Amino acid sequence: GIQVEQSPPDLILQEGANSTLRCNFSDSVNNLQWFHQNPWGQLINLFYIPSGTKQNGRLSATTVATERYSLLYISSSQTTDSGVYFCAVVGTSGSRLTFGEGTQLTVNP
Amino acid sequence: SAVISQKPSRDICQRGTSLTIQCQVDSQVTMMFWYRQQPGQSLTLIATANQGSEATYESGFVIDKFPISRPNLTFSTLTVSNMSPEDSSIYLCSVTLMAGSYNEQFFGPGTRLTVL
């Protein structure tokens, strides 16, 4: 099946800093999504982005499908951004999401 | 988007017992899934819940341990049977909203299970 790799596995920032999270995938995809899992375990949809670039407030994402990677940008980070960020994909031959291992983000005040 | 609710939100159970988790969606959906997230780990797909037929299980998961029902397009249950401490996890229900080439997946709030 399709493989999903996220980097870095852990990231510690000071409030106000910017960061870039990366997601590499091993095959063509029909779907790519970024999620934020908050400390209570809730998975929050950030972006549905199988290709192209999207922005939502301080967050933006870019997927370059031909090169099989996606980037999540967080600008002016806040303590509430802390949590685990997951990238997940659906391969062209599949129908459900395969998750990466996540990036654990800690934003310190 | 889809509004998904799960019951219970959390539970503490004794070894050897079973727990049934309910998932309710606010609209009819074709694709419905159950995931497990063990402590400190990523999400792993348990099975696809098929309306009116047996669920499709992923490698490593079996019907006797994780029986699933899906009587209609808005509701599903997952039972964790004969529990052991290794079953302590967050169990999440998920649905896919589809329209043409668009197919975004949404997750319920999860059920946090602790087995003693």
Side-chain angles (χ1 to χ4, degrees):
Chain A
I2 194 165
Q3 305 297 312
V4 182
E5 294 183 357
Q6 291 186 244
S7 59
D10 298 279
L11 186 58
I12 300 174
L13 302 174
Q14 286 299 123
E15 201 166 25
N18 302 328
S19 63
T20 301
L21 282 58
R22 186 176 180 101
C23 173
N24 293 331
F25 42 95
S26 61
D27 205 347
S28 299
V29 297
N30 285 332
N31 176 10
L32 187 145
Q33 292 183 240
W34 284 97
F35 297 90
H36 175 214
Q37 187 168 41
N38 64 25
W40 296 270
Q42 173 77 54
L43 270 175
I44 299 165
N45 287 41
L46 296 178
F47 293 103
Y48 169 81
I49 188 166
S51 64
T53 297
K54 291 185 178 179
Q55 180 158 4
N56 184 3
R58 295 182 296 103
L59 302 181
S60 63
T62 295
T63 297
V64 184
T66 54
E67 297 187 20
R68 299 182 182 169
Y69 73 89
S70 183
L71 303 174
L72 177 68
Y73 305 96
I74 304 174
S75 64
S76 304
S77 58
Q78 301 175 358
T79 57
T80 52
D81 294 332
S82 296
V84 183
Y85 289 80
F86 287 106
C87 170
V89 303
V90 178
T92 53
S93 59
S95 62
R96 69 287 190 275
L97 286 173
T98 299
F99 279 76
E101 292 301 308
T103 292
Q104 174 75 58
L105 174 65
T106 302
V107 181
N108 292 321
Chain B
S1 66
V3 177
I4 307 168
S5 60
Q6 286 186 232
K7 289 193 293 188
S9 58
R10 59 177 60 232
D11 207 342
I12 301 173
C13 300
Q14 295 297 319
R15 178 195 301 262
T17 63
S18 298
L19 176 71
T20 295
I21 303 167
Q22 298 180 5
C23 176
Q24 180 74 53
V25 189
D26 68 340
S27 59
Q28 294 186 341
V29 292
T30 304
M31 306 297 290
M32 206 165 194
F33 309 96
W34 286 98
Y35 285 79
R36 180 177 74 180
Q37 186 179 26
Q38 295 177 300
Q41 305 293 313
S42 184
L43 280 77
T44 301
L45 180 65
I46 298 172
T48 302
N50 300 310
Q51 193 264 329
S53 64
E54 192 172 287
T56 304
Y57 289 84
E58 298 299 306
S59 176
F61 297 96
V62 295
I63 188 171
D64 290 347
K65 176 67 175 177
F66 297 101
I68 289 171
S69 78
R70 190 171 175 198
N72 57 52
L73 293 178
T74 63
F75 184 79
S76 178
T77 66
L78 168 74
T79 299
V80 186
S81 302
N82 189 24
M83 288 183 286
S84 66
E86 292 72 33
D87 294 319
S88 298
S89 299
I90 300 175
Y91 292 86
L92 299 107
C93 172
S94 177
V95 303
T96 299
L97 295 188
M98 303 172 72
S101 61
Y102 168 82
N103 58 334
E104 185 171 0
Q105 200 161 329
F106 296 85
F107 286 80
T111 296
R112 191 179 295 268
L113 171 63
T114 302
V115 184
L116 303 177

